[in-house]
Amino acid sequence: MRRPSNVKVPLPYFLLVQITTIELTENSPGQKGISESDVCTSKPTALFAPTGGRSHTLSVAIPGSIVANAKSIEQKTLLVGIIARALAVFCVDEVVVFDDDGNSAQHDEYEQDYDYYDSPMARTNDQVNGTTPSKGYTAYSDPSHFLAHVLSYLETPPYLRKHLFPMHPNLRGAGLLPSLDMPHHLRANEWCDYREGIVISTVDHQKSRRGCNSNNYHHRNRRSNSPTSPPATVVDTGLSQKVVIPDIQLPEHARVTVRFSQQGPKHRAEPVHPSIPRSEAGYYWGYYVRRCRSLSSVFTESPFDGGYDLSFGTSERGAPLNTVLEEDGDEQRHHIHHNHTPEYKHLLVVFGGVAGIEAAIRYDPQLRDMAISPTDAGKLFDYWVNLLPGQGSRTIRTEEAVWLGLTGLRGLVEGTHRPKKSYRYNGSKAT
């Protein structure tokens, strides 16, 4: 039976409350007629805002065996994407991929590739982070290489990937992974004082192909083709026009960080060390990928002067993380912690694989020569911590532990917390 149109049906109470709340919000003073319905939440608005130079760094070490533990190709690729997202969200500066089992492939080439870098941020190369020694699919033959390869690909700005990463079986599923969208992944219409680029040519090389792509270069009418002209480098930074760096020649196909003047990208740019955006301006400028043969080489091959001055090892046999950290008593640090320099310079957090960090010690020849057994795993670190005591699942997967660990250590990284000296591991169980 149809209800007559003139009959009014009372609204439910919770709807009346909602309508009243909206009316009060729209008519309240200071709102200028803007209602909550006018707020656009469909597009991301969180932008990284640098607050000053940052000298301290955050490093994470992960075993390559976690890739071997995944069954299908899709699972292996998705696992790397999950870890890469954590590295980007928590502003990790360096990720170390180490071998933790006796079956890991040993490549003579990758030691030479990684020695090429004189710092964790010097990423100008023809072989990006050692991704070229193997031409085949390495997720089964060399899981550490696969992990380092895909992590390097995801960290690279999208407009540079086609130049630095040729087609490879390891990357066939990488296009389906979520974007990292880090501060240096700039769009063509976005402005920043710094940009990542790739050297596509030098002016001297243009003499033999003067008519090729010459319309894309800035200052193409300057006397650069003269035999007496100083050298110059042409860099693709993802902008609509290429950038010319005068008075310098860089290797072709090299990745380079450039800094523009405040007047805009049409003015001259200069190459800078890749750590400059972080150390001088405070930008998070991506993570550097380093591969190691063993757990001990994570420490001995550290690219930082003096190595890591603060290290955390993660294990279910460690002390609860919430008991190791204490809140800093300085209230000012809680309000301007981004401008505060923590007590450490280079922080390292090491995660284990399926069998834990202890397995990495078992297959490490250098640690065996030092008579360090798996039961002495905690001696390698300043703090030996349990990320989640009382876990409901029998195991915590490594990709889950990375998110848990970086979340738990967030206060330490920001300077609002500090580790208790009484829990500093000295070879005996923490009390």
Side-chain angles (χ1 to χ4, degrees), residues 170-280:
N170 287 346
L171 305 175
R172 57 185 173 183
L176 300 177
L177 296 177
S179 172
L180 301 189
D181 206 13
M182 292 185 282
H184 65 302
H185 290 192
L186 294 163
R187 280 73 165 173
N189 61 345
E190 292 179 325
W191 167 250
C192 181
D193 293 342
Y194 303 90
R195 268 187 176 268
E196 290 293 292
I198 182 172
V199 178
I200 58 176
S201 180
T202 62
V203 170
D204 290 341
H205 291 167
Q206 290 300 309
K207 293 179 182 179
S208 60
R209 48 180 180 177
R210 189 174 303 174
C212 297
N213 299 325
S214 60
N215 291 331
N216 292 332
Y217 301 144
H218 284 305
H219 310 297
R220 54 187 171 89
N221 293 326
R222 61 195 297 264
R223 299 177 58 190
S224 57
N225 289 326
S226 171
T228 60
S229 297
T233 299
V234 181
V235 179
D236 182 359
T237 59
L239 297 171
S240 58
Q241 292 179 306
K242 306 302 184 290
V243 175
V244 171
I245 302 178
D247 305 328
I248 190 172
Q249 280 186 328
L250 297 175
E252 197 165 352
H253 304 302
R255 179 173 170 179
V256 59
T257 305
V258 299
R259 175 170 55 194
F260 296 106
S261 64
Q262 296 293 335
Q263 286 75 19
K266 292 185 178 181
H267 292 71
R268 293 184 178 182
E270 62 175 339
V272 296
H273 193 276
S275 64
I276 294 298
R278 168 185 58 83
S279 60
E280 292 190 359

Side-chain angles (χ1 to χ4, degrees), residues 44-309:
T45 58
L47 298 176
F48 186 91
T51 56
R54 174 171 64 90
S55 59
H56 60 279
T57 62
L58 171 61
S59 300
V60 168
I62 305 173
S65 63
I66 63 174
V67 173
N69 189 47
K71 302 301 180 183
S72 67
I73 296 175
E74 293 76 13
Q75 287 178 330
K76 295 175 186 293
T77 304
L78 179 61
L79 183 148
V80 182
I82 294 173
I83 292 176
R85 284 289 301 172
L87 301 177
V89 169
F90 289 97
C91 302
V92 174
D93 301 297
E94 179 196 31
V95 54
V96 187
V97 179
F98 64 94
D99 298 332
D100 64 339
D101 58 72
N103 299 323
S104 298
Q106 301 295 334
H107 291 283
D108 295 334
E109 295 96 334
Y110 81 66
E111 183 176 358
Q112 179 180 356
D113 293 334
Y114 284 87
D115 287 344
Y116 176 81
Y117 305 99
D118 59 355
S119 77
M121 305 301 172
R123 295 170 292 185
T124 57
N125 57 316
D126 291 321
Q127 296 177 326
V128 178
N129 291 323
T131 58
T132 57
S134 176
K135 296 182 180 179
Y137 185 68
T138 61
Y140 294 101
S141 61
D142 189 359
S144 294
H145 176 270
F146 177 83
L147 178 58
H149 193 173
V150 181
L151 284 176
S152 299
Y153 174 84
L154 294 175
E155 184 276 338
T156 303
Y159 59 86
L160 296 182
R161 291 173 183 172
K162 63 181 179 181
H163 301 287
L164 295 174
F165 290 86
M167 294 184 64
H168 194 284
N170 287 346
L171 305 175
R172 57 185 173 183
L176 300 177
L177 296 177
S179 172
L180 301 189
D181 206 13
M182 292 185 282
H184 65 302
H185 290 192
L186 294 163
R187 280 73 165 173
N189 61 345
E190 292 179 325
W191 167 250
C192 181
D193 293 342
Y194 303 90
R195 268 187 176 268
E196 290 293 292
I198 182 172
V199 178
I200 58 176
S201 180
T202 62
V203 170
D204 290 341
H205 291 167
Q206 290 300 309
K207 293 179 182 179
S208 60
R209 48 180 180 177
R210 189 174 303 174
C212 297
N213 299 325
S214 60
N215 291 331
N216 292 332
Y217 301 144
H218 284 305
H219 310 297
R220 54 187 171 89
N221 293 326
R222 61 195 297 264
R223 299 177 58 190
S224 57
N225 289 326
S226 171
T228 60
S229 297
T233 299
V234 181
V235 179
D236 182 359
T237 59
L239 297 171
S240 58
Q241 292 179 306
K242 306 302 184 290
V243 175
V244 171
I245 302 178
D247 305 328
I248 190 172
Q249 280 186 328
L250 297 175
E252 197 165 352
H253 304 302
R255 179 173 170 179
V256 59
T257 305
V258 299
R259 175 170 55 194
F260 296 106
S261 64
Q262 296 293 335
Q263 286 75 19
K266 292 185 178 181
H267 292 71
R268 293 184 178 182
E270 62 175 339
V272 296
H273 193 276
S275 64
I276 294 298
R278 168 185 58 83
S279 60
E280 292 190 359
Y283 283 103
Y284 172 56
W285 213 242
Y287 54 80
Y288 167 77
V289 182
R290 179 166 65 95
R291 183 179 170 185
C292 293
R293 295 179 182 271
S294 61
L295 176 60
S296 59
S297 59
V298 174
F299 296 90
T300 59
E301 298 175 5
S302 172
F304 301 104
D305 292 336
Y308 306 101
D309 55 337

Side-chain angles (χ1 to χ4, degrees), residues 349-423:
V349 186
V350 180
F351 298 92
V354 178
I357 295 178
E358 293 83 354
I361 296 176
R362 184 178 297 110
Y363 295 105
D364 192 322
Q366 184 175 354
L367 294 180
R368 286 200 305 265
D369 295 341
M370 297 172 61
I372 297 180
S373 64
T375 57
D376 300 324
K379 294 181 179 180
L380 298 176
F381 309 95
D382 295 318
Y383 292 91
W384 186 237
V385 297
N386 184 355
L387 300 177
L388 189 64
Q391 62 200 51
S393 175
R394 187 186 300 269
T395 59
I396 294 180
R397 300 175 62 88
T398 303
E399 63 270 26
E400 298 168 342
V402 172
W403 282 92
L404 289 171
L406 295 178
T407 301
L409 292 170
R410 186 64 175 172
L412 177 64
V413 174
E414 292 185 339
T416 60
H417 290 70
R418 59 185 177 185
K420 298 179 181 178
K421 295 183 179 180
S422 59
Y423 277 87

